[in-house]
Amino acid sequence: MLSGRGKGKIRPPRRGLTSPSDNVDFITAWKELETALREIHTKDVSKLSFEELYRNAYKLVLKKMGEKLYEAVKRFEEKWLREEVKPKIQGSLSGGNPISAAAVGVRGVSANERRVSGEKFMKGLKSQWEDHILCMGMITDVLMYMDRVYCDDNKKPSIFTAAMVLFRDHVLRSHVVAEGSGPTTLENLLISVILDQIQMEREGDIIDKALIRSCIYMFEGLYETEYEEQSEKLYLTSFEPEFLSASRTFYRSEGESLLRNTDAGSYLRHTASRLREEQDRCRSTISPLTATKIKEVVEEVLIKQNFRDVIELEGSGLKFMLDNDRLDDLCLAYNLISRIDPKKTDLQRAFQKQVVQHGLEINKAAGTAATATSGKENGKGAAPNAVTLQSVAAIKWVDDVLQLKDKYDNIWARAFYKDQGLQTALTRSFHEFINEFQRSSEYISLFIDENLKRGLKDKTENEVDAVLEKAITLLRYIQDKDLFERYYKKHLSRRLLMGKSVGEDVEKQMISRMKSELGSHFTHKLEGMFRDIALSGEVSAAYKNHVRQLDDSSRERIELSISVLTNTFWPSESWGNTTMATCIFPPGVEQVKTGFENFYLRKHTGRRLTWQPNMGTADIRAIFPKVSGKDTTLAKEQRHEINVSTYAMVVLLLFNDLPAGASYTFEDLQSKTMIPPNDLIRNLQSLAVAPKTRLLIKEPMSKDIKPTDKFYFNDKFSSKYLKLKVSVVAGGNKVESEQERKDTEMRNDETRRAIIEAAIVRIMKERKELPHQQLVAEVIAQQLRFTPDIIMIKKRIEGLIEREYLERVEGKAAPAYRYLA
């Protein structure tokens, strides 16, 4: 019996079988070998003797007839393949097969017919290929000595390799005539059948994967040349390019269909499924050699070419996913784009666009609310809560932005795996729409103000930290931090002076966070404000000790609490833009005021005190006479302790000397007190319009205050409370009107001009001479608390030239400047 192909050690025949003098007849020996080869191919090997066949081949090679033997075997195999193997394979294409050769792999028939006919063809080819491999293994064992001696010495391919080449050329690449499609080869037919079977599987049919894998083995076992280099496998040169091309066509068509007929989430899930299917197909049906290449095809066609269209699909794209928190779909989109673009450019662009769009919607809503409340404030019969509504709209804007931040931070962490590129896109988005909103600095400062006044009461330390951190997060996005500083100083000053802060520790904690984030130069004045408050407490205590030592009859014994503020630390605009007292105090109050001035200036010579009455409060005792004929609480004398603003105190004290039933007009009150009209109106509204604190009677009764309106002392005022507080209408921190905002920006621009001039002088002092463009670029590059405006820089350069800090350099092609020491 003959065994399969082996690689055992070759032993020469036993001594005595051959001798140098033996004559060998090639024709006789070959006939015996030829008969044996035919019997091997026909599976009739029971009577063959390996030793005899091996000896015949050995003698022929030993007698220098190796070439004849080699060529004879090749001719035999070629003839066998041509006359015996090829007809059998072609028979699988016709005969009882209901589909002709022209229909194999062609789309003109049903999928089931194509599958059946294709499987029949592949089974026939597989059977002949496996027979060929088996028989050539046995023949190689017989001709082992020829392979090791003749083939090696003459650089010839082994007989097994030569037989594989013959199978490739005379079977696989043999021409057949397919009806309706002209001449082709069995190789092309096989590739078409396999591709057709794979496409049927992609469309949901079940195919014989093991059968296809067997045919793929044939492609992997055959080469383009006899040298059998790995890169020249027929699988890589013939099948794989066709497979990749057909796959590209299929997925291009499928992608277009999915874009037309499905939503973005389904498209992404289908793409991910296709990627898994192709990897499984390479492992079980074709070859792992193609895994990377087919992955790239699917990624290029379904992801790279269509990803932008997918995420922009109306009603299901990225906007829909973000709006509805579709984290699974967003995660899938991230994973797919990561396959083709490490930077995720399309996803970053679309993500940033959607975040900005959401932010602009918040800006628009806040702007609409501000316009509506501003209209109420300025309209006839102004609503008393218009300012409150504006403040509520401001806080809502910040809350909406923070909710948006929380939403996208959650998406970034859970769906985008905290990708740094997408974090940058998120930061840019918030930076863009926050700075697009003109009131962002003011609103963020108001948000902090609201929380530090009353919003943090009864909250745990962790909750306080969370609120402060949110505020700092928004502060990072603000481009013009100097404008925020101006608003924050204004709001902080009112909290400190009016005693409305939730606590000094929390205030200082907030400033410490700002200092850590923005540097000590940002918080220097804020820290100075706290030092002033602390020193003011010491001054007030010292003044109280001084008053205790005075005569009991001295008017200076009136209790006085003072805040002495350094002018450079505190914002003057929060004091009504006044630097001099604009109020005529009653004599008793004026005496107390003078007494403190004398006390303070004795200790601090060279200083000047400027009183700010619009920032103060007073506690006054009021006695309301009993009303005769009344059985109610009005029938007895009423005594109350009333907390009012300093301006309200001045107004009320004027009525002490007014005869019963007499009145003051608005013009009278203004001329006697010199209180600014707007402040006087607000205080009179609190005293004469507010129902619960109507200490004065106004004629005619209305919310508006006119110059001719009359005011009487309300001797019939009654309240069940001993202590009352009269709140000033629209007092405290509020949203600025349009004109106030313009004034704030104008003052801020004045500060900026000085900062820009200082930067220019600093740069020129070091560089001595610079071209105009380079100077502008270096000023912009300075780490200022705002982005310098080009026009402002040019004007500041002109101003420095006029004041002879700089001069123009003559004779230069481009404008240049020289520093003048």
Side-chain angles (χ1 to χ4, degrees):
M1 292 288 293
L2 291 175
S3 63
R5 185 180 183 187
K7 296 292 183 181
K9 184 176 180 180
I10 302 174
R11 297 183 181 86
R14 293 192 302 273
R15 186 173 297 179
L17 291 177
T18 62
S19 66
S21 59
D22 289 346
N23 292 322
V24 179
D25 180 47
F26 178 81
I27 295 176
T28 303
W30 167 243
K31 285 183 178 180
E32 293 180 8
L33 286 172
E34 183 179 25
T35 300
L37 296 182
R38 182 171 287 103
E39 291 176 347
I40 290 172
H41 278 293
T42 57
K43 309 296 190 301
D44 185 17
V45 296
S46 58
K47 298 178 180 179
L48 295 180
S49 168
F50 171 79
E51 183 175 352
E52 180 180 349
L53 295 174
Y54 182 86
R55 180 179 57 200
N56 288 341
Y58 174 80
K59 289 192 294 184
L60 290 174
V61 174
L62 195 65
K63 295 298 183 177
K64 307 302 181 185
M65 297 181 188
E67 182 176 3
K68 285 185 178 183
L69 177 61
Y70 183 81
E71 294 299 329
V73 173
K74 284 180 61 178
R75 286 193 298 272
F76 173 83
E77 290 300 328
E78 178 182 343
K79 182 179 179 182
W80 180 265
L81 293 172
R82 186 174 60 251
E83 296 179 356
E84 300 292 336
V85 175
K86 179 181 175 182
K88 292 179 181 179
I89 296 174
Q90 289 181 331
S92 65
L93 297 173
S94 56
N97 188 3
I99 301 179
S100 65
V104 177
V106 177
R107 291 303 199 85
V109 292
S110 69
N112 185 60
E113 289 177 321
R114 297 200 323 270
R115 180 179 60 78
V116 172
S117 63
E119 288 180 356
K120 180 179 180 181
F121 169 62
M122 288 189 291
K123 287 177 180 178
L125 184 58
K126 169 181 175 288
S127 175
Q128 295 303 315
W129 164 253
E130 292 177 348
D131 281 351
H132 185 63
I133 293 292
L134 176 63
C135 294
M136 288 311 304
M138 299 169 67
I139 292 171
T140 298
D141 289 339
V142 171
L143 302 176
M144 189 182 299
Y145 188 76
M146 180 187 71
D147 277 345
R148 299 296 178 86
V149 177
Y150 169 75
C151 293
D152 286 352
D153 290 347
N154 292 275
K155 308 298 182 184
K156 295 279 189 179
S158 68
I159 196 61
F160 186 88
T161 300
M164 296 303 105
V165 172
L166 292 173
F167 189 90
R168 178 198 70 196
D169 294 340
H170 296 281
V171 177
L172 199 60
R173 290 183 173 172
S174 62
H175 290 276
V176 294
V177 177
E179 298 178 8
S181 60
T184 185
T185 64
L186 288 176
E187 179 184 28
N188 292 337
L189 281 176
L190 177 60
I191 292 173
S192 297
V193 167
I194 294 175
L195 295 181
D196 190 50
Q197 297 279 317
I198 291 174
Q199 181 150 333
M200 282 190 282
E201 184 184 35
R202 286 170 175 164
E203 293 172 350
D205 292 332
I206 298 175
I207 61 174
D208 190 340
K209 297 180 180 180
L211 177 59
I212 295 176
R213 187 73 182 109
S214 297
C215 294
I216 292 297
Y217 282 143
M218 180 183 67
F219 280 118
E220 290 182 317
L222 297 175
Y223 297 82
E224 290 289 348
T225 66
E226 59 188 23
Y227 301 107
E228 297 189 344
E229 295 181 3
Q230 292 299 310
S231 61
E232 293 183 345
K233 287 182 176 182
L234 290 193
Y235 178 84
L236 297 176
T237 60
S238 296
F239 175 78
E240 188 180 75
E242 294 295 329
F243 170 72
L244 296 177
S245 176
S247 299
R248 183 174 284 104
T249 301
F250 173 81
Y251 284 121
R252 185 179 294 112
S253 175
E254 183 177 68
E256 293 171 354
S257 175
L258 288 171
L259 285 174
R260 289 192 304 269
N261 303 316
T262 191
D263 59 86
S266 298
Y267 184 101
L268 296 173
R269 290 188 290 274
H270 185 81
T271 300
S273 176
R274 285 302 195 191
L275 285 165
R276 291 191 297 270
E277 289 174 9
E278 293 299 340
Q279 295 305 300
D280 292 341
R281 183 171 292 113
C282 289
R283 286 191 293 268
S284 63
T285 307
I286 50 177
S287 170
L289 295 173
T290 307
T292 300
K293 298 174 185 176
I294 187 60
K295 176 179 73 71
E296 291 173 352
V297 168
V298 178
E299 290 172 350
E300 179 185 354
V301 177
L302 291 185
I303 304 176
K304 186 175 182 179
Q305 294 179 5
N306 294 336
F307 188 81
R308 181 177 298 182
D309 294 332
V310 171
I311 60 178
E312 291 178 355
L313 281 174
E314 188 70 26
S316 66
L318 187 66
K319 183 180 187 302
F320 173 82
M321 297 177 192
L322 294 173
D323 289 344
N324 295 277
D325 294 328
R326 295 294 185 90
L327 297 181
D328 291 340
D329 289 345
L330 289 168
C331 181
L332 190 53
Y334 175 85
N335 289 331
L336 292 179
I337 191 66
S338 298
R339 289 172 167 269
I340 62 167
D341 181 12
K343 295 182 178 180
K344 300 99 184 167
T345 305
D346 286 340
L347 183 59
Q348 282 189 31
R349 176 190 55 78
F351 182 56
Q352 185 170 337
K353 177 182 176 182
Q354 293 304 323
V355 177
V356 170
Q357 183 176 335
H358 287 172
L360 293 178
E361 290 171 359
I362 294 174
N363 291 353
K364 184 178 179 181
T368 302
T371 302
T373 53
S374 177
K376 291 180 181 180
E377 188 179 23
N378 297 328
K380 185 176 180 180
N385 64 341
V387 175
T388 303
L389 292 176
Q390 284 185 324
S391 298
V392 170
I395 302 303
K396 185 179 186 305
W397 178 84
V398 178
D399 286 336
D400 289 345
V401 171
L402 288 174
Q403 289 177 13
L404 192 69
K405 182 71 167 59
D406 290 341
K407 171 188 176 72
Y408 284 115
D409 280 347
N410 179 56
I411 290 173
W412 172 71
R414 296 177 59 187
F416 297 153
Y417 304 100
K418 297 185 177 181
D419 182 87
Q420 292 301 311
L422 287 165
Q423 183 187 37
T424 301
L426 186 60
T427 300
R428 287 175 180 170
S429 302
F430 276 81
H431 184 274
E432 181 178 341
F433 79 77
I434 286 177
N435 288 287
E436 184 77 18
F437 189 54
Q438 294 182 342
R439 291 183 177 266
S440 58
S441 295
E442 180 186 5
Y443 281 13
I444 293 172
S445 181
L446 274 172
F447 170 80
I448 299 173
D449 178 69
E450 188 72 15
N451 280 281
L452 294 184
K453 279 196 301 187
R454 54 181 178 269
L456 296 180
K457 288 182 179 178
D458 303 324
K459 288 192 175 182
T460 65
E461 184 176 347
N462 290 337
E463 290 173 332
V464 171
D465 286 340
V467 172
L468 298 184
E469 183 58 35
K470 286 181 178 180
I472 292 297
T473 298
L474 294 183
L475 181 56
R476 293 189 186 107
Y477 295 126
I478 295 177
Q479 181 173 306
D480 296 331
K481 292 181 173 60
D482 59 333
L483 187 59
F484 169 82
E485 180 190 8
R486 184 174 294 274
Y487 282 114
Y488 191 82
K489 283 169 57 181
K490 173 183 173 182
H491 297 152
L492 174 62
S493 68
R494 289 184 177 273
R495 290 199 302 276
L496 295 179
L497 297 178
M498 296 181 178
K500 292 186 176 181
S501 176
V502 72
E504 184 178 345
D505 290 342
V506 178
E507 292 279 6
K508 289 185 175 180
Q509 187 180 353
M510 185 66 195
I511 291 178
S512 176
R513 287 172 179 266
M514 290 183 182
K515 188 174 184 178
S516 176
E517 184 70 27
L518 304 172
S520 58
H521 64 283
F522 185 86
T523 58
H524 172 67
K525 292 183 179 180
L526 303 179
E527 292 170 330
M529 294 167 71
F530 279 95
R531 287 195 297 270
D532 280 353
I533 294 296
L535 292 174
S536 295
E538 297 176 4
V539 171
S540 294
Y543 180 66
K544 287 179 182 179
N545 290 331
H546 166 72
V547 171
R548 290 193 192 101
Q549 300 171 10
L550 297 177
D551 223 5
D552 288 344
S553 61
S554 174
R555 285 181 175 272
E556 293 182 41
R557 292 185 63 82
I558 297 175
E559 186 175 346
L560 185 66
S561 179
I562 293 293
S563 294
V564 183
L565 313 178
T566 305
N567 189 46
T568 55
F569 291 158
W570 296 77
S572 61
E573 59 266 23
S574 65
W575 305 334
N577 293 323
T578 58
T579 57
M580 297 296 290
T582 59
C583 177
I584 299 175
F585 292 99
V589 177
E590 184 66 32
Q591 186 177 352
V592 174
K593 171 175 165 288
T594 304
F596 177 79
E597 288 178 349
N598 294 333
F599 164 80
Y600 184 81
L601 295 176
R602 280 197 300 268
K603 291 188 175 183
H604 303 281
T605 57
R607 294 187 181 181
R608 182 168 63 90
L609 290 177
T610 301
W611 293 82
Q612 302 292 343
N614 60 322
M615 298 299 293
T617 61
D619 292 329
I620 61 176
R621 292 186 180 92
I623 301 174
F624 296 88
K626 63 181 180 179
V627 180
S628 59
K630 298 287 185 179
D631 295 331
T632 62
T633 55
L634 295 177
K636 58 183 180 179
E637 188 178 76
Q638 298 279 317
R639 292 176 180 269
H640 296 283
E641 291 183 7
I642 307 174
N643 177 264
V644 295
S645 70
T646 302
Y647 282 151
M649 174 199 70
V650 172
V651 171
L652 290 174
L653 290 179
L654 288 177
F655 286 86
N656 280 341
D657 302 325
L658 192 68
S663 65
Y664 287 120
T665 65
F666 175 81
E667 292 176 336
D668 293 337
L669 292 173
Q670 211 279 322
S671 63
K672 287 180 177 295
T673 63
M674 295 303 294
I675 297 174
N678 287 338
D679 288 325
L680 182 57
I681 289 173
R682 289 169 51 237
N683 281 275
L684 287 174
Q685 285 176 330
S686 300
L687 295 171
V689 178
K692 294 182 180 180
T693 58
R694 196 168 292 170
L695 303 177
L696 301 178
I697 297 175
K698 175 180 177 293
E699 286 185 0
M701 186 59 191
S702 65
K703 294 178 181 179
D704 294 335
I705 305 293
K706 297 180 180 179
T708 57
D709 289 348
K710 294 180 180 181
F711 296 88
Y712 300 85
F713 179 71
N714 184 10
D715 54 4
K716 297 180 181 180
F717 175 80
S718 175
S719 174
K720 62 182 179 179
Y721 299 108
L722 176 63
K723 293 184 177 182
L724 304 174
K725 179 179 177 64
V726 179
S727 299
V728 180
V729 172
N733 293 331
K734 62 182 181 65
V735 176
E736 290 183 333
S737 66
E738 192 66 27
Q739 185 59 46
E740 289 173 332
R741 186 175 63 82
K742 290 180 179 178
D743 293 341
T744 299
E745 290 180 351
M746 186 180 300
R747 288 189 295 270
N748 201 55
D749 285 344
E750 291 175 2
T751 304
R752 287 184 177 184
R753 284 192 283 269
I755 294 174
I756 290 174
E757 284 186 353
I760 293 171
V761 171
R762 187 168 57 249
I763 293 169
M764 292 301 297
K765 189 174 183 179
E766 179 183 354
R767 307 295 293 275
K768 304 304 181 186
E769 187 176 311
L770 275 179
H772 173 79
Q773 294 296 336
Q774 188 174 347
L775 176 58
V776 171
E778 292 200 19
V779 171
I780 294 175
Q782 296 288 306
Q783 293 184 346
L784 306 177
R785 287 175 291 169
F786 59 94
T787 302
D789 181 66
I790 301 295
I791 296 177
M792 186 179 289
I793 294 174
K794 291 181 179 179
K795 289 182 177 180
R796 292 306 91 215
I797 293 173
E798 293 296 331
L800 291 172
I801 292 174
E802 291 176 3
R803 284 176 283 159
E804 297 184 351
Y805 283 91
L806 305 177
E807 68 174 359
R808 288 186 174 86
V809 179
E810 303 296 337
K812 295 283 188 179
Y817 309 105
R818 183 182 296 114
Y819 176 71
L820 299 177

